[in-house]
Amino acid sequence: MYLLRKTTAVLLALLVSIAGFAGIASASDSKKVSVDVTTNYTTLVPGQSVLVSVKISNIPSGRNGLHSGKVVLSYDENVFTTEGNIRFDDDLGKYIWRDDTFFIPSKSFETTDYRIENPYPEDSNPADGRQEVVLSISALNNKTINSTTNEAFASFFLTVKKEAKTQDTLINIISKGTMLEDTAGNLVQGYGTTSAHLLVGAPKRIEIVRGTLPPTSNLFKLSINSGVELNALAVFDNGDTAYVTELSSWETTDPKVIKAPVQGNIQAIGLGKASVTATLGSVTGKHDVAVYPANAPELIEQEVVHVIITRIPNERSFAVATVVQVNVNGKTAEPGRLSDGTVYVSLRSVSKLLGVDVGYDSTKKAPMIDGKTVTHFYTFSGVSYIMARDISSLLGAEVKWDEKKTTLTIEASVRKK
């Protein structure tokens, strides 16, 4: 199955430079063509999926431009599995990545000027303990492959095996089978590569945190009938941390005080104390919660702005959500997404076109606008998004939604720097 056009899917590659991806290593010579592999995480737990992206950079323009590329990746088959990510294609007579687990992460490459095939698995050496993935791109209509946008041309999912042991692993480009061809039909020689280094394994502990605030041993205090979002923060031996909220199983020690948590969201339904636990494999985190009557003296403390970070519940479904064109004062912003009836836009992309500086609160790990922390935002692979309906209150702009054209129009006076 060949794809002449495919819905753009991976927001991270649309909203930030691919150079910002995690897991890049072994940088090649900046003066020569480079084939690069990146991932959206550097640390993974068993059962977790990782998004692997491939780009070709430093491509010369003009008569010596790049016409096509076939790229072969290699990964440790003892660490990763393709189960659930591939299907057998009767027309091609081979397994390929399913359409919902393979994406073209850039509008630059989703046009009819490019032909990008679904990746397919190979095993060039059954005895080496590694598997390969083959990806390809070709330019059509007398066009060339352009790397000026510095974007990946393809992304796909791999899944960590549930029985994978703690270890460092590498996803890399291999020269055998990888071929780059210029517009004259000549093979490009001496290209460079970058690889993705990852740590896979169980965390040494799990901290239950409120929103994205730092871990604390202090009691979480709630008023009756209120709720709060908690996250499970995995801490690894090398100092890395990762939110594993959706991968963890949540419980309460007293369901009469705290309603059984759903992906970290708890609801106080009775007075008293209870503990909330999050378990991932053999590792369990625990935190105590107290529920008081409304306006109880125990709840009267110095005001603290708690950052609430709402994760996209299903990264895969969000990745293939409907693309939304976003126009800001007549200029095109990075595309947004329409998921479950809600439009999401890149906070930084829209703010930039409005002349609004977006900062970062390193303590609360949240974006800032005009020196104030944004308390409600959404995250996908490390990128901050807001709902379209919050644009007016956050950025002071007027928003218009055209459902038929799936276009969001944002209008406001641009601030002078």
Side-chain angles (χ1 to χ4, degrees):
M1 176 180 178
Y2 296 111
L3 301 179
L4 294 179
R5 181 175 180 86
K6 190 177 180 70
T7 302
T8 306
V10 183
L11 286 173
L12 183 59
L14 286 170
L15 302 169
V16 294
S17 165
I18 197 72
F21 272 30
I24 304 177
S26 305
S28 59
D29 188 337
S30 61
K31 296 182 180 180
K32 63 183 179 181
V33 176
S34 179
V35 185
D36 310 316
V37 54
T38 60
T39 58
N40 60 336
Y41 298 109
T42 56
T43 306
L44 299 164
V45 297
Q48 186 177 6
S49 292
V50 61
L51 188 68
V52 183
S53 299
V54 179
K55 72 171 181 176
I56 306 173
S57 56
N58 301 325
I59 303 173
S61 58
R63 298 178 62 183
N64 295 322
L66 192 65
H67 170 68
S68 64
K70 177 184 176 183
V71 179
V72 182
L73 301 184
S74 173
Y75 66 87
D76 190 335
E77 63 183 351
N78 295 314
V79 174
F80 296 103
T81 177
T82 60
E83 185 177 356
N85 294 326
I86 62 175
R87 65 174 177 82
F88 189 80
D89 187 282
D90 292 327
D91 294 333
L92 296 176
K94 62 183 179 183
Y95 283 94
I96 60 173
W97 256 256
R98 294 195 340 246
D99 287 354
D100 62 335
T101 61
F102 156 61
F103 315 108
I104 299 174
S106 165
K107 291 187 72 67
S108 301
F109 292 117
E110 69 168 348
T111 70
T112 54
D113 289 333
Y114 297 99
R115 177 183 181 181
I116 299 175
E117 303 175 9
N118 290 54
Y120 61 89
E122 275 191 350
D123 190 3
S124 58
N125 183 357
D128 67 357
R130 298 186 69 83
Q131 294 271 356
E132 286 74 47
V133 182
V134 183
L135 307 94
S136 63
I137 177 173
S138 299
L140 306 175
N141 306 322
N142 296 318
K143 302 290 185 178
T144 59
I145 300 173
N146 193 329
S147 65
T148 57
T149 54
N150 201 32
E151 295 172 323
F153 70 85
S155 302
F156 63 95
F157 281 106
L158 285 175
T159 304
V160 180
K161 291 185 175 181
K162 293 183 178 180
E163 65 274 15
K165 298 179 180 179
T166 301
Q167 59 188 289
D168 291 311
T169 190
L170 178 72
I171 302 176
N172 62 297
I173 308 292
I174 59 175
S175 58
K176 183 179 179 181
T178 296
M179 295 183 294
L180 307 179
E181 186 177 288
D182 64 20
T183 53
N186 300 315
L187 293 180
V188 176
Q189 304 293 338
Y191 58 84
T193 64
T194 62
S195 303
H197 288 281
L198 301 163
L199 172 66
V200 171
K204 66 177 181 180
R205 70 177 187 276
I206 291 178
E207 299 278 2
I208 297 179
V209 298
R210 194 166 183 166
T212 56
L213 294 176
T216 177
S217 58
N218 294 337
L219 189 72
F220 290 155
K221 299 178 181 180
L222 280 72
S223 61
I224 188 71
N225 297 324
S226 68
V228 68
E229 181 181 0
L230 303 179
N231 275 322
L233 183 68
V235 181
F236 298 86
D237 287 328
N238 66 349
D240 281 353
T241 59
Y243 291 110
V244 292
T245 306
E246 289 85 3
L247 296 173
S248 302
S249 49
W250 291 80
E251 294 182 358
T252 174
T253 57
D254 192 340
K256 294 182 179 179
V257 175
I258 298 293
K259 186 178 180 180
V262 178
Q263 292 188 342
N265 297 302
I266 63 174
Q267 187 74 27
I269 57 176
L271 301 178
K273 292 184 178 180
S275 295
V276 176
T277 63
T279 301
L280 179 66
S282 60
V283 183
T284 297
K286 182 179 180 181
H287 206 102
D288 296 328
V289 179
V291 179
Y292 299 94
N295 301 318
E298 291 85 354
L299 297 175
I300 302 175
E301 301 174 346
Q302 183 177 0
E303 184 178 356
V304 177
V305 176
H306 294 289
V307 175
I308 300 176
I309 176 172
T310 303
R311 301 161 311 282
I312 303 302
N314 188 324
E315 288 194 353
R316 295 190 182 187
S317 63
F318 191 58
V320 297
T322 302
V323 177
V324 173
Q325 181 176 340
V326 181
N327 297 322
V328 180
N329 290 339
K331 296 182 179 180
T332 302
E334 298 290 354
R337 282 294 181 277
L338 174 61
S339 179
D340 294 329
T342 300
V343 176
Y344 300 84
V345 298
S346 164
L347 175 60
R348 185 171 296 278
S349 175
V350 171
S351 298
K352 182 178 180 180
L353 291 177
L354 290 174
V356 178
D357 289 327
V358 178
Y360 183 72
D361 188 327
S362 58
T363 301
K364 296 183 174 67
K365 300 184 185 301
M368 300 175 65
I369 294 177
D370 294 334
K372 297 180 180 179
T373 302
V374 178
T375 57
H376 290 75
F377 63 100
Y378 300 78
T379 182
F380 178 82
S381 297
V383 179
S384 298
Y385 305 94
I386 57 174
M387 291 187 294
R389 63 171 176 257
D390 291 337
I391 291 176
S392 296
S393 59
L394 286 173
L395 301 172
E398 182 181 354
V399 179
K400 297 180 180 178
W401 169 242
D402 189 329
E403 184 175 0
K404 292 183 178 179
K405 296 181 179 180
T406 58
T407 299
L408 187 75
T409 301
I410 303 170
E411 295 180 353
S413 298
V414 178
R415 299 184 189 179
K416 294 183 179 180
K417 302 282 182 137

